[in-house]
Amino acid sequence: MKASSKSPVRAHPTATHGSRRVRPPSAPRRARRLSVAPFLLLAVLFCVLLLDGYVHKVPVNEHLPYMVASDWVPRKVLSGGPVIDTTSAGIRSYQIPRKTIVLTFDDGPDPTWTPRILRVLKKHKVHGTFFVIGQLTARYPSIARELVDSGQEIGLHTFSKPDLGHGSKGADIDRELARAQLALAGAAGITSSLVRPADSSVPEKLDNASWPVVQYLGTKGYLTVLNGTASEQWLRTAVHGSADRPVPQPTGQSAVVLSYEAGDKVAQKAHALDVLIPRLKAAGYRFVTVSKAMGTEGLDHPPTTAGLWKGRAFVTAVQLSQAVVRGLFVLLAVTGILVLLRLAMMLVFARRHARVRNHPDFSWGPEVTEPVSVVVPAYNERECIANTVRSLAASSHPVEIIVVDDGSTDDTAEIVKSLGLPGVTLVRQPNSGKATALNTGIAWASYELIVMMDGDTVFEPDTVHHLVQPFADPRVGAVAGNAKVGNRDRLIGKWQHIEYVMGFNLDRRMYDLLRCMPTIPGAVGAFRRTALREAGMMTEDTLAEDTDITMALHRGGWHVVYQEHACAWTEAPGTMTQLWRQRYRWSYGTMQAIWKHRRSLIERGPSGRFGRVGLPLITVFQVLAPLVAPLVDIVAVYGLVFHNPWKTMLVWTGLLGVQALAAAYAFRLDREDLRNLWVLALQQVAYRQLMYLVLLHSSITALTGTRLRWHKLRRTGEVGAPPGPSVPASRPAA
């Protein structure tokens, strides 16, 4: 075994090629501009969802008991007509002339039923008055325009149809009417002076709660239109009347007939109108709008220029928001399929992997006992390097340890020298990046089998031995170990612990059986020197040199396998900032590697197999699926606020339950404590959103072609001796 008491210092020939840990002065400002982009996109999406939810939200009205008292309401109003004018000093109610019918329709426009009702009216050359809801007008502007173009009269049924009669203040009523007028102006180019409050009835039902609303509407220049008859009963009587009583009694009765454009039995009502109109016309009745019944020319007015353009802008924004939300729901469906497909595939393949690898007859071949070179690239690892080297020195497998100090500015190298451990070689080079440091260590290695690990990781005594056993199969070119989070005491550590076990290691079992392992983790991986040379060694083409070399090995025809028994304990980022930097580099580096090896999609042989099996799976499950997965939570919040919260929570909880079952199975395979899964729900709410922003940021960086620098993480040295058997004081000599 090679050992050195005077730690040799040698610069690798490529060490002068510059450093990825140093970037030009202009880069920080550009990086900061790019880092804002995900938050800007998220803010735009939030505004779109807020607007769409606003025009879809059904108000939750408290069903307060109506006041029986009506002593505030003038008697002439209670016994008067259905149209009430309180715009002037006096109060006036309008009766509908004899043998006159005013057809009115509420709760539209409806994309299904309004056109059907309109066809009936056009068929019989009759006009009606449509009291539209502002929310629906903004959502279906073409139907509102069709109503105006066909000569129908438009009135307001408020914007969101709240109960104005109980607890509403003047400001609330003003907002409802202003938004309804805005939607009407943008959709149909008109405004209206007619209002029908929600839940209105016949004049004699006015009470001390609803009358002040009617008075206030008059001060704002609106006429209030109520019902003139029990409309549903009137329609049934008219349609089902006997031959000698073809019209409602008494003969000559007038009516303001209320019907609905949405809800139950609209088809029957449209049919009733189709039967009723010609029958009443034959009996001498005429059909008019509210304004015609009052003897006025019209109560619809053109908006001001400013109001017209504000309305158009509002309606356009609503249309865009609806298009975006429809697209989001399509993506949500795709996301749900991807998430469930990924979980199903992981569970099926993980079960198969465990059965195959734990079967008594399974063997990689003869036990591998030959010595191994362990390369440890280190850059400012003073907090961790001692624990890392000591854990290697305690290995049960014969190893030589090569620590490559990549131009550290702290005392990393001095700490390695001060340990005085046999079999440790210290190589120092100018700061040249991790890939160069690994190549330097490989050049110094004495053996064919080379283990690579990070300077913040500790091995168990038998990790190296387990890691190199698959090399008994001569087709195996690299082996991925089982990386575990060592600093899992805090919440952020527990989140990453779940991600490592469920996301990374469960994935690796699936990719192992499919022979398309995407990444040999930098924390614990082993390679044949021959395979590394054929694949072109470690390069700085990407920021994920581990993913890059793994894909290159696949394309070269080498098998890359997963050894779950080779456990390594690594220090995960301890702050959100550090986590962002690490995952930003990982995500961006993975995208670079996929792009670099894209030609494998059209090549033949092992490269083509990896390109047509591995690259699509990696792209879908490691880029696209995580990128759209937070839509589940975004739509859940949308549903809680604007739709049925109980159904939304039921669906979201169901998805969480499926993920919890998958996580529990992954923990069982890795022999981990299930009690750590208590943070899974919170991980879905907070941690997943951070990962989404990281991936979105990486995608923007990749699309803009920006070169990302290497982010050095701040270490704390929290991961000490690995759990398990006690570490022996010495190891057998090679």
Side-chain angles (χ1 to χ4, degrees), residues 380-381 456 571-573 577-579 581-582 585 710-715:
N380 289 349
E381 300 285 1
D456 60 349
E571 181 179 327
T577 301
Q578 297 293 311
L579 180 63
R581 290 179 176 178
Q582 182 196 66
R585 176 174 59 83
W710 182 283
H711 293 292
K712 168 62 182 173
L713 302 183
R714 186 178 299 107
R715 301 301 183 187

Side-chain angles (χ1 to χ4, degrees), residues 453-666:
M453 67 182 298
D454 291 335
D456 60 349
T457 303
V458 296
F459 278 5
E460 295 179 1
D462 58 356
T463 296
V464 174
H465 185 73
H466 284 305
L467 191 61
V468 299
Q469 294 313 303
F471 289 115
D473 184 346
R475 298 172 300 174
V476 174
V479 182
N482 188 341
K484 294 178 175 289
V485 175
N487 54 327
R488 59 180 75 165
D489 294 333
R490 292 166 38 179
L491 184 61
I492 188 173
K494 293 182 185 298
W495 284 342
Q496 293 174 86
H497 171 47
I498 294 175
E499 182 185 27
Y500 271 60
V501 175
M502 180 185 175
F504 300 156
N505 292 335
L506 202 61
D507 265 352
R508 289 191 180 103
R509 294 175 186 271
M510 176 181 69
Y511 288 128
D512 188 3
L513 291 183
L514 294 175
R515 291 173 51 195
C516 56
M517 184 84 62
T519 304
I520 300 294
V524 51
F527 301 84
R528 291 187 191 272
R529 184 198 297 267
T530 302
L532 286 172
R533 286 175 176 169
E534 290 182 6
M537 303 292 285
M538 298 292 182
T539 71
E540 294 185 351
D541 295 341
T542 73
L543 289 182
E545 72 290 325
D546 45 8
T547 302
D548 183 17
I549 189 63
T550 306
M551 291 183 178
L553 290 170
H554 281 298
R555 297 181 68 185
W558 291 96
H559 288 191
V560 180
V561 300
Y562 174 54
Q563 175 59 289
E564 68 270 21
H565 301 300
C567 297
W569 300 80
T570 187
E571 181 179 327
T575 66
M576 286 296 185
T577 301
Q578 297 293 311
L579 180 63
W580 177 285
R581 290 179 176 178
Q582 182 196 66
R583 299 311 168 84
Y584 185 23
R585 176 174 59 83
W586 286 5
S587 301
Y588 185 65
T590 299
M591 293 177 190
Q592 287 179 308
I594 292 173
W595 182 252
K596 176 181 176 180
H597 296 281
R598 65 190 183 278
R599 287 192 58 83
S600 62
L601 288 167
I602 59 175
E603 292 177 342
R604 297 182 178 181
S607 179
R609 183 191 180 281
F610 172 74
R612 288 182 286 276
V613 176
L615 281 188
L617 286 176
I618 297 167
T619 302
V620 170
F621 290 147
Q622 293 191 207
V623 178
L624 297 181
L627 191 60
V628 296
L631 283 177
V632 175
D633 305 305
I634 294 172
V635 173
V637 174
Y638 177 85
L640 286 173
V641 176
F642 298 112
H643 290 281
N644 190 316
W646 297 110
K647 289 183 179 179
T648 301
M649 282 301 301
L650 182 63
V651 173
W652 189 86
T653 305
L655 290 175
L656 178 63
V658 171
Q659 291 181 310
L661 291 175
Y665 185 64

